[in-house]
Amino acid sequence: ECDTDPVFGVWLSPAYDKTTNGHAVPHEWTTHHGLNCPPGEGAKDLGRQAHVPGRHLLFECESACLGEPKCEGIVWRDTSDGYIKDCFLRGAIDLSACGLRDGFSTRLLQRRVDPTSVATTSSMPAATTTVTASGIPGAGGWTNYSGKNCYEFNGADNLHGSDPLMGHKLLKECREECLADPECDAIVMQDNGPLAGNCWLRKNVTLDNCPFEPTFTVFLSPPYDASGGYRDHVWTSHPRVRCDPGHSGEPV
């Protein structure tokens, strides 16, 4: 819709996409709460660039990764107050080799493609990171689904007074809040910095109806099934075995 004028020129930046009304596809981050990928255990150290000194908000840690070409993701430590080192850059990330650890999140980066670089390197295969939609077993029997957000009319029912819970919670604290509420079937957590509410309690969860939102992760409580409902209780019989008080058993 621009006019033609011989004394003027317009230059579009590489990140600007005229096919989407000027809104370029953003860099995409996928969150894996409670997962820590240290060097040699699911990730590669980036040398001096591996740790960003000082305390940082999440978006600052992401910006540091975007500025390092070899960075494929970050490990962000949720310290609530940010007073200890909390931002680590990682390359060659293999989630299957990473360990579970409360207070940590691993964020995988899928970089936005620069259209000018595509034109000059079209013969080169693009590097891709594949993230499956299946749940990842976590500590205590919780199963997490990265990039899912379940809420009222979108795969879950909200619990009154927990939308979100007051204050900034660690993963362990959010799980404990859910276990203390008999109606709670799952929790939703968001990477949104150390000052905002980040823990939601949910019930009647059906994952297929939950939308994709990359900064969120859904954790199903141990007895709750992803298809929407509780698993049947399982009874195991041991014939001719008797457990009396004081003999391998205690009264309840």
Side-chain angles (χ1 to χ4, degrees), residues 162-182:
S162 60
D163 202 41
L165 288 174
M166 186 175 296
H168 189 83
K169 305 292 185 185
L170 297 176
L171 175 59
K172 179 180 179 181
E173 296 169 334
C174 191
R175 286 199 303 248
E176 289 173 348
E177 293 279 357
C178 181
L179 292 174
D181 189 323

Side-chain angles (χ1 to χ4, degrees), residues 10-148:
V10 175
W11 285 264
L12 296 181
S13 71
Y16 196 85
D17 187 352
K18 61 183 179 181
T19 65
T20 57
N21 295 322
H23 299 287
V25 177
H27 299 292
E28 183 174 309
W29 295 89
T30 305
T31 307
H32 298 270
H33 284 283
L35 208 60
N36 183 24
C37 303
E41 299 178 39
K44 182 180 179 181
D45 195 343
L46 297 183
R48 288 181 296 177
Q49 292 77 27
H51 171 232
V52 183
R55 58 188 185 187
H56 301 275
L57 298 177
L58 177 62
F59 79 90
E60 295 173 329
C61 191
E62 292 174 347
S63 296
C65 181
L66 290 170
E68 171 53 50
K70 294 182 179 180
C71 183
E72 296 180 7
I74 63 173
V75 170
W76 190 68
R77 186 177 185 182
D78 187 350
T79 61
S80 295
D81 57 9
Y83 279 101
I84 54 180
K85 57 186 180 181
D86 55 7
C87 176
F88 307 87
L89 309 188
R90 296 289 185 253
I93 297 174
D94 178 7
L95 292 177
S96 65
C98 300
L100 298 170
R101 189 170 179 184
D102 281 327
F104 285 78
S105 294
T106 295
R107 298 262 287 161
L108 294 183
L109 168 63
Q110 184 173 340
R111 294 178 184 267
R112 177 180 57 220
V113 177
D114 182 342
T116 60
S117 65
V118 172
T120 57
T121 61
S122 57
S123 61
M124 298 294 290
T128 59
T129 301
T130 302
V131 181
T132 63
S134 59
I136 299 176
W142 293 77
T143 304
N144 74 76
Y145 296 83
S146 181
K148 283 283 190 177

Side-chain angles (χ1 to χ4, degrees), residues 111-229:
R111 294 178 184 267
R112 177 180 57 220
V113 177
D114 182 342
T116 60
S117 65
V118 172
T120 57
T121 61
S122 57
S123 61
M124 298 294 290
T128 59
T129 301
T130 302
V131 181
T132 63
S134 59
I136 299 176
W142 293 77
T143 304
N144 74 76
Y145 296 83
S146 181
K148 283 283 190 177
N149 184 18
C150 304
Y151 49 95
E152 196 78 22
F153 308 118
N154 286 272
D157 293 331
N158 300 343
L159 288 181
H160 180 70
S162 60
D163 202 41
L165 288 174
M166 186 175 296
H168 189 83
K169 305 292 185 185
L170 297 176
L171 175 59
K172 179 180 179 181
E173 296 169 334
C174 191
R175 286 199 303 248
E176 289 173 348
E177 293 279 357
C178 181
L179 292 174
D181 189 323
E183 287 193 283
C184 184
D185 301 326
I187 62 173
V188 175
M189 293 202 74
Q190 182 186 21
D191 274 332
N192 56 2
L195 301 178
N198 65 335
C199 169
W200 291 261
L201 306 188
R202 297 290 185 249
K203 64 180 180 179
N204 302 326
V205 177
T206 303
L207 281 171
D208 288 344
N209 298 331
C210 300
F212 174 78
E213 295 187 37
T215 64
F216 288 83
T217 302
V218 172
F219 295 81
L220 295 185
S221 65
Y224 200 78
D225 189 89
S227 61

Side-chain angles (χ1 to χ4, degrees), residues 225-236:
D225 189 89
S227 61
Y230 285 92
R231 305 181 182 95
D232 293 333
H233 297 292
V234 177
W235 295 88
T236 305

